[in-house]
Structure formats: C-alpha cells, structure tokens
Amino acid sequence: MQTLPKTRNSSLVMQTIGDETLIYDLNTHRAYCLNETASVVWNACDGKTDVETLVSQSGIPKELVQYSIGRLRESQLIDVAGETDIPKHVSRRDAIAL
C-alpha cells in the first residue's frame, strides 16, 4: 500500500521564516521548528502525494523523507493514510549523513 501523508492543519499556528517553518500546536502547547528538509516534506504532504513522488519531486533521499515523515507523525503534525513504510531503524545520525 502507498503512504499518503497529510498535514494536520487544525489547531496549529504556522509561520514560515526563510527556509524554516515554525509550528505551534494549540492542543498540546508544543512548538516545533522544522528545518529546510522537514519544511519541504511538510509542505508536500497533501494527502494525495505518495512518498515515491515526494522523493522524486523534492530530490531529497527517500530515507530522509521517510525519517522526516516519521518524526512529523510522532509529533502528531501529520496523518498517514494506509499502511506506512516508514522505517523505524533510521537514526538521526544516519539521516544527517545522507
């Protein structure tokens, strides 16, 4: 099954500053600062674009896209429809090395 990530827009306050995206979750009262890569992934998560297409359109390595989606999902900033193919074994260190 394809992974179709979709950003959660309800109860979020978002602002873009340069290449980064700042997000404040009104439900959990947590703030997030997405770096350039995570911002690109966040903006591409429209619920219609699968991971493979996101990778080909952004030029970001698949492992890093999957890692970003996994982190956004853990933070409850995106929903993923269908079965996920996001690996749990990619460490931050490995993702940075990509």
Side-chain angles (χ1 to χ4, degrees), residues 9-27:
N9 293 316
S10 64
S11 301
L12 297 178
V13 177
M14 298 165 279
Q15 182 174 2
T16 302
I17 299 176
D19 294 333
E20 297 181 335
T21 301
L22 304 176
I23 301 172
Y24 182 74
D25 188 335
L26 297 169
N27 292 337

Side-chain angles (χ1 to χ4, degrees), residues 66-98:
Q66 291 175 321
Y67 176 77
S68 297
I69 291 171
R71 295 289 297 180
L72 291 167
R73 192 166 151 224
E74 287 172 10
S75 301
Q76 299 177 353
L77 297 176
I78 64 168
D79 297 317
V80 178
E83 291 185 25
T84 180
D85 60 357
I86 299 168
K88 302 273 188 220
H89 65 277
V90 178
S91 69
R92 287 184 206 181
R93 185 172 297 170
D94 290 339
I96 291 171
L98 294 174

Side-chain angles (χ1 to χ4, degrees), residues 55-73:
V55 167
S56 65
Q57 289 177 349
S58 69
I60 300 171
K62 182 177 181 176
E63 293 81 8
L64 193 51
V65 168
Q66 291 175 321
Y67 176 77
S68 297
I69 291 171
R71 295 289 297 180
L72 291 167
R73 192 166 151 224

